[in-house]
Amino acid sequence: FSGPEGEARRAKLLEAALRLGRAVGYVGAGTCEFLADADGEFYFLEVNARLQVEHPVTEMTTGLDLVEQQLCIAANQPLALRQEEIRPKGHAIECRINAEDPTQDFKPSPGVLEAFDFPRELPGATVRIETHMRAGDEISPYYDSLIAKVVVHAPSRAEAIQAMERVLRGARVSGVATTIPVHLAVLASRELTSGEYDTASLPGWSGS
């Protein structure tokens, strides 16, 4: 969503989500999801009555702590700000790093992490690494394969894409296969940089 047209679409999505919440008397943290077509029309998909795994993107663009807000709501405390006070700034991107082998149809890749480190500081960008893992930890085959969420925030979309590429290229992860190569391929693809992609494609990934 870039430029005046993108901002107008973003405003319509926000208003649709607010109307939905008001109509059902919703109280609590939640996420409204929509699907958009090539003509810019969007359609309601679902509401997740919880924080999403992508909530750090919203936190980094708004400066809000959504977990704190959720706890305040659960404690029947009033929110400390109004909708019009929320003004997103810049762009944020999140990549989920999974212990999966992209060359084997994303087969889970359990094992021991021999190395596990990501750059945490970049000039002109903010980096946020969310993980419970460290070098020496064992990844079990019995649970979710997500081992880290890498989030970057920068003034523009292009700068955020470049920052994410630098973080992932500077990552030291070994011992198991991960989805990092797929993320790098997508970040470098014309489809993503131009914004011309959809849910039916995995641009730039050769599987090799």
Side-chain angles (χ1 to χ4, degrees):
F1 291 2
S2 60
E5 183 178 343
E7 289 302 317
R9 188 188 297 182
R10 190 191 308 275
K12 290 181 180 179
L13 282 166
L14 175 60
E15 180 55 34
L18 292 174
R19 287 204 316 270
L20 191 154
R22 295 184 185 116
V24 299
Y26 188 84
V27 176
T31 305
C32 292
E33 295 189 9
F34 301 87
L35 286 176
D37 62 21
D39 297 323
E41 295 296 324
F42 60 88
Y43 305 88
F44 172 71
L45 180 62
E46 64 178 357
V47 171
N48 286 294
R50 55 180 169 79
L51 293 182
Q52 294 283 77
V53 101
E54 303 88 358
H55 82 269
V57 169
T58 301
E59 292 189 336
M60 294 186 80
T61 55
T62 62
L64 295 174
D65 184 332
L66 295 184
V67 176
E68 177 186 25
Q69 297 300 319
Q70 179 176 247
L71 292 173
C72 288
I73 294 170
N76 290 322
Q77 296 178 9
L79 293 177
L81 72 169
R82 300 180 62 81
Q83 183 65 47
E84 55 269 21
E85 298 177 80
I86 302 175
R87 295 185 176 89
K89 295 181 180 179
H91 292 251
I93 297 176
E94 176 180 310
C95 286
R96 303 187 206 182
I97 311 303
N98 288 64
E100 299 174 355
D101 189 344
T103 67
Q104 299 294 322
D105 198 24
F106 296 90
K107 179 182 177 181
S109 179
V112 176
L113 284 168
E114 297 170 358
F116 191 69
D117 188 46
F118 296 86
R120 296 175 182 268
E121 293 187 9
L122 287 179
T126 302
V127 181
R128 175 171 167 175
I129 309 295
E130 295 200 346
T131 184
H132 61 295
M133 307 296 293
R134 60 184 177 181
D137 285 348
E138 182 175 1
I139 299 171
S140 168
Y142 303 113
Y143 302 100
D144 193 296
S145 62
L146 179 67
I147 57 176
K149 294 191 294 183
V150 178
V151 196
V152 299
H153 179 268
S156 69
R157 183 174 184 272
E159 290 170 300
I161 292 173
Q162 293 169 3
M164 181 63 80
E165 286 183 304
R166 293 201 300 272
V167 172
L168 296 185
R169 291 193 186 282
R172 295 190 308 111
V173 181
S174 62
V176 300
T178 74
T179 51
I180 288 177
V182 180
H183 291 304
L184 286 170
V186 172
L187 289 165
S189 69
R190 183 203 64 80
E191 291 90 344
L192 183 75
T193 55
S194 68
E196 297 175 0
Y197 59 91
D198 60 39
T199 57
S201 63
L202 192 58
W205 173 242
S206 65
S208 60

